[in-house]
Structures are given as structure tokens and as C-alpha cells.
Amino acid sequence: MRTGAAPPTSMAVEEEKVAVDGSTNGYAAAAAAAAAVVTVSSAGEQKQLDAGALFVLKSKGSWLHCGYHLTTSIVAPALLSLPFAFASLGWAPGVLCLVIGAAVTFYSYNLLSLVLEHHAQLGRRQLRFRDMAHDILGPRWGRFYIGPIQFSVCFGAVIGAALLGGQSMKSIYLIARPGGMMKLYEFVVIFGAFMLILAQIPSFHSLRHINLISLMLCLAYSACATAGSIHAGHSSTAPPRDYSLPSDSQDRVFGVFNAIAIVATTFGNGIIPEIQATAAPPVTGKMFKGLCLCYTIVVMTFFSVAISGYWAFGNRAQGTVTANFILQDGSILVPKWFLTMTNVFVLLQLTAVGVVYLQPTNEVLEGLFADPTKDQYSTRNVVPRLIFRSLSIVTATLIAAMLPFFGDLNAVIGAFGFLPLDFTVPSVLYNITFKPSRRSFIFWLNAVIAAVFSMLAVLGSISAVRQVALDAKTYKLFADI
């Protein structure tokens, strides 16, 4: 049951309030420029609108569209790393982490939705995460904490999508041409060029059909990964299974926190307000229905991939479970056509994932360089959109090609970004907005969630940085891995 929602009231004239801030000079400049334009409402009143809200965060969608966006942002190829996380946790703790991650994120995302609906009913609809922080926590929280973290997490996800896309393309290439000489960074660049085209899609709402296809693709490659793991586990050529944990206590402890960060990244979203902003008013109840659709897919995919992959490969599970289908001697545990098909499904969905997580960057760029008094498709707005969206994709592709270590990147993003944004902040925003009694169960549940996951974020960050330091000796710019 959804608790704490404000009683329905008559809708005030919808005010798209701007509170665009940033952590660096460029980000702050974009944020300042985004609130600069004043337009006139139909009632003749003055209200501030910015090009980011007008052009990127159009509020035209249904609850189904919200479900498609949510599924693409959460049920992504990062779930293929869940058997790797299980390798550091073991059976019971691994399954428990998945259950807790699903329950807490569903609850936390619902809290965010309730806060957003409450403010929309009061006539102050908040379209961005930093808007929420600005209005509820204060301007400095939006400028120096929520804004920078969200921007970093989302752009990091774009980098991760480019890297995984390149790895999927290389896998397909090596299946077709064993011993081929093309390098990983070449495939990353090719995938980046494809993402550059999709990045020009003007608004978040315009992605609804692509994200429906993305939903079907995630079901397809999750089914393939599960079936492939079961087939490989019964293969006579499969390596022996070992479910033991590291013998060194220090490695075991840090491995656990690193695995928790990976699970957090897998369940992470970071753009709940932006997704809810795409829903047409009235927004009440739409996000909850979208979350129910999304988490139906989550349960179907996360648990099947994690359990089957860990069962098949044990503590030998690699960064993505599909990598375990190819042995060190080059032999393949599943049919070649099957592995190729799985990689194609992953490759196609990664394009949607990358473009979805690019939306906060697009919104900032539109706010800085677009003119909301001109038509969205006017030359004045199309030219800067083409230039700066292309530059953002080029930057992400370059970083992915230079630093192709997705496992470490996954843990760092989860610890520094997704754990606080998706596990801690929603409980705090809810308690401040609705002010439940300190004797109530919901107040203490939220307080416990915020405290526990704040500590896990700190410990996970330490573990992730430690893992990066340990692996640094193997790092090489533009490495072919």
C-alpha cells in the first residue's frame, strides 16, 4: 500500500520550476543559464521555464511509458555481472542481497514518486532530481551534492554502455573470425558512432518506443544467459564448480562490500524524477504502476541470471556471465549461433540504455545553449543540439576506449552514486516532506534505511577504490581486453 500520499486536491496551474545547479564551473554555468528565460502562461501569469524542461522533459507520457523508461534504466546488461557479485557473497548472502536490493529500491522509488506527486498537487511540479533537493533540502544540496552526483552517475552509465557495447561487438567479431586483429577500442568507437546518431532524438518522451523494444531485448538476453548457464553447467567440458569464498579475511570483507556496490549499481536508477517528468498530468498513481511493471521484469531477470550463472560457474564467474561461455583455450560452452544471438540482444539494448542515461546531460545542454523562445526544431536550436550532444558522446566514447575496465567502473559508480541517490536520499526527502511522527513505523524505517545505506556507501566506496588500486598494475590506456 502506498502510504503518506497527500489527499487529492484541485490541480493548480502547472509550474515547471527551475533549480538548475552544478558542481563545476561548466555545470554551474549550465544550471544558471537554464533558469534565465521567462515566458507567459495562458492565464497571463509570469513563470520561469527553461529549454531543458521544455524540449527534453516533455510531460506527455502514460504510466506504460514510465514503465518502459524505468525498465530500460534498471534492467540493463549490468545484471549480467550478478553471478560475479555472488562469487564474493556465496549462496545465502547473495540471494539475500538481491531480495533486499529489490525491496528497498522499489520502496525508495515509490517514496520519491510520492514526494513528487505531493508537490505536483500543490502546483509546484518538480521535473529534476536537483529541483527536489533545492526545494526540500536547500539550494546548496542541489548545487553541491545531488546535482553533481546525479550528473556523474548518469554520464558514467553512458561510458559503461559504450564500453559494454564495444565488448559485445568484439565478442561477435571473434566468434565469426577467431584470431581477428581488431582491437577493443575500435569496436568502442564504432558503437559510439551509433550512439551519436540516437543521441539526437530530441526528448525523453520520444524514446518510449525504443524503450519498449529495450524491454523485450532485456527479457531475451536474460533468458539466453540463463539457458546458456544451465547448458554450460551440464557440459562435460565445463570447468569444475567451486563455491568457496576467499580464504584471506581481508579479501573476503572487501569482496563483500565490492559485491554490494555491484548489486546497488544493478538496481540503480538515479533518474526517477526525470522519468516521472515525462508523465502527462495528473501524475498521481502513474509512476507506481510503472514501477510494478518494471519490477515484474526485475524479478524475472535478475534472479534467474544470478542464480543460474553462479550455479554454473561458482567463484569462477567473470565480470559478465557471457564471458564464462568462452574458455581460455578458445572453446565455447554453448553453440556459436546462440552466443552471437545473446551478444546481439545485449548490444541492441545498450544503445537504448546509453541514450536514456544521456538525458540529464541533454537537459543541461539544452538549458545552456538552446533558446526556449524559438521552436525546438528551428536552426537556432538544432545546430547547438547537434554539436553539443555529439561532443558528449565523443567524450564518453573516448573515456570508454581509454579505460576499458567495466567491473571496477561498475563498483565505483554504485558506491559513490547509486547507493546514496537510490537508497538513502529518498527516505530523507520523504521524512522531511511529509513529517511522519517520530513514533511511527514509517519514520524509523526510513531513518534506518538512510543510516544503514549511508554506511554501506562509505564502506563500498573504500572497497571499490581499493579494488581499483589493486588492479592499477594491469591498467593500460586503450587496452585490448
Side-chain angles (χ1 to χ4, degrees):
M1 178 180 292
R2 294 167 54 122
T3 59
T9 61
S10 60
M11 290 291 293
V13 175
E14 184 179 333
E15 178 183 2
E16 298 179 334
K17 191 174 180 182
V18 179
V20 186
D21 299 295
S23 62
T24 62
N25 290 337
Y27 190 75
V37 179
V38 177
T39 63
V40 182
S41 69
S42 59
E45 297 175 346
Q46 299 267 330
K47 63 179 181 179
Q48 287 186 328
L49 294 175
D50 65 88
L54 287 172
F55 298 157
V56 179
L57 302 178
K58 292 182 176 180
S59 302
K60 296 182 177 181
S62 67
W63 71 267
L64 269 175
H65 300 151
C66 290
Y68 302 157
H69 301 324
L70 285 164
T71 304
T72 297
S73 60
I74 297 175
V75 190
L79 71 89
L80 298 176
S81 65
L82 287 174
F84 176 73
F86 268 45
S88 297
L89 295 169
W91 276 116
V95 173
L96 182 62
C97 274
L98 272 190
V99 172
I100 292 175
V104 172
T105 51
F106 181 85
Y107 175 73
S108 296
Y109 297 155
N110 191 42
L111 291 186
L112 278 180
S113 175
L114 290 171
V115 173
L116 289 164
E117 289 177 5
H118 173 74
H119 285 275
Q121 289 172 347
L122 296 176
R124 300 192 306 271
R125 188 173 183 187
Q126 297 159 332
L127 303 178
R128 292 158 285 218
F129 219 139
R130 61 182 181 275
D131 291 355
M132 297 183 71
H134 182 281
D135 290 352
I136 300 171
L137 302 176
R140 292 189 177 183
W141 283 93
R143 178 178 302 131
F144 299 115
Y145 184 68
I146 298 298
I149 285 183
Q150 186 199 32
F151 187 83
S152 300
V153 163
C154 291
F155 199 69
V158 177
I159 295 170
L163 176 55
L164 278 179
Q167 290 176 340
S168 296
M169 292 183 72
K170 183 181 177 183
S171 296
I172 296 170
Y173 170 73
L174 291 178
I175 293 170
R177 296 187 60 184
M181 300 303 292
M182 289 186 69
K183 307 298 183 183
L184 174 61
Y185 64 83
E186 297 177 86
F187 293 104
V188 172
V189 171
I190 295 171
F191 183 81
F194 185 49
M195 279 185 60
L196 188 147
I197 297 172
L198 290 182
Q200 309 308 323
I201 295 175
S203 69
F204 205 156
H205 179 65
S206 302
L207 298 175
R208 62 195 183 280
H209 302 303
I210 291 176
N211 288 342
L212 170 59
I213 297 172
S214 169
L215 184 152
M216 294 185 286
L217 287 169
C218 73
L219 287 172
Y221 67 69
S222 296
C224 289
T226 301
S229 295
I230 294 172
H231 178 82
H234 288 292
S235 173
S236 59
T237 58
R241 290 192 289 271
D242 182 5
Y243 302 111
S244 63
L245 299 176
S247 57
D248 184 81
S249 58
Q250 185 181 38
D251 289 342
R252 184 182 301 178
V253 170
F254 280 109
V256 166
F257 289 119
N258 195 53
I260 290 173
I262 291 174
V263 172
T265 303
T266 308
F267 280 104
N269 180 279
I271 52 174
I272 291 292
E274 285 78 5
I275 291 176
Q276 187 154 330
T278 66
V283 297
T284 304
K286 290 182 178 178
M287 200 65 166
F288 180 72
K289 293 178 182 178
L291 282 167
C292 289
L293 170 62
C294 173
Y295 273 77
T296 300
I297 307 299
V298 165
V299 172
M300 293 170 62
T301 56
F302 282 36
F303 287 86
S304 61
V305 170
I307 292 172
S308 64
Y310 185 57
W311 169 81
F313 304 110
N315 58 19
R316 297 174 181 266
Q318 299 185 39
T320 59
V321 69
T322 52
N324 284 98
F325 295 162
I326 304 176
L327 300 179
Q328 291 183 348
D329 61 4
S331 60
I332 302 177
L333 295 174
V334 296
K336 288 185 177 181
W337 65 265
F338 182 87
L339 184 56
T340 300
M341 179 177 67
T342 304
N343 278 300
V344 168
F345 290 152
V346 171
L347 178 68
L348 292 175
Q349 203 224 7
L350 280 167
T351 58
V353 173
V355 175
V356 162
Y357 277 103
L358 191 65
Q359 297 309 303
T361 303
N362 290 346
E363 181 267 317
V364 171
L365 292 173
E366 294 279 319
L368 180 59
F369 298 108
D371 183 355
T373 64
K374 305 289 186 182
D375 184 78
Q376 180 180 7
Y377 302 104
S378 66
T379 303
R380 164 65 183 82
N381 288 329
V382 169
V383 172
R385 180 183 305 131
L386 178 64
I387 293 173
F388 291 104
R389 290 190 183 190
S390 299
L391 285 175
S392 66
I393 290 295
V394 168
T395 302
T397 302
L398 178 62
I399 295 173
M402 290 175 61
L403 304 171
F405 303 96
F406 180 72
D408 290 347
L409 179 65
N410 209 14
V412 171
I413 291 174
F416 280 98
F418 286 123
L419 271 171
L421 275 183
D422 294 330
F423 291 81
T424 302
V425 172
S427 297
V428 174
L429 293 177
Y430 181 92
N431 278 1
I432 293 176
T433 298
F434 292 105
K435 298 179 176 59
S437 170
R438 296 200 175 194
R439 296 182 179 180
S440 66
F441 172 75
I442 194 169
F443 174 86
W444 286 107
L445 175 62
N446 292 342
V448 168
I449 289 175
V452 169
F453 284 96
S454 292
M455 290 187 291
L456 287 177
V458 173
L459 295 173
S461 299
I462 294 172
S463 177
V465 171
R466 173 182 178 271
Q467 191 62 45
V468 170
L470 291 175
D471 293 342
K473 60 181 179 291
T474 65
Y475 287 174
K476 182 181 178 182
L477 293 180
F478 299 100
D480 184 33
I481 60 175

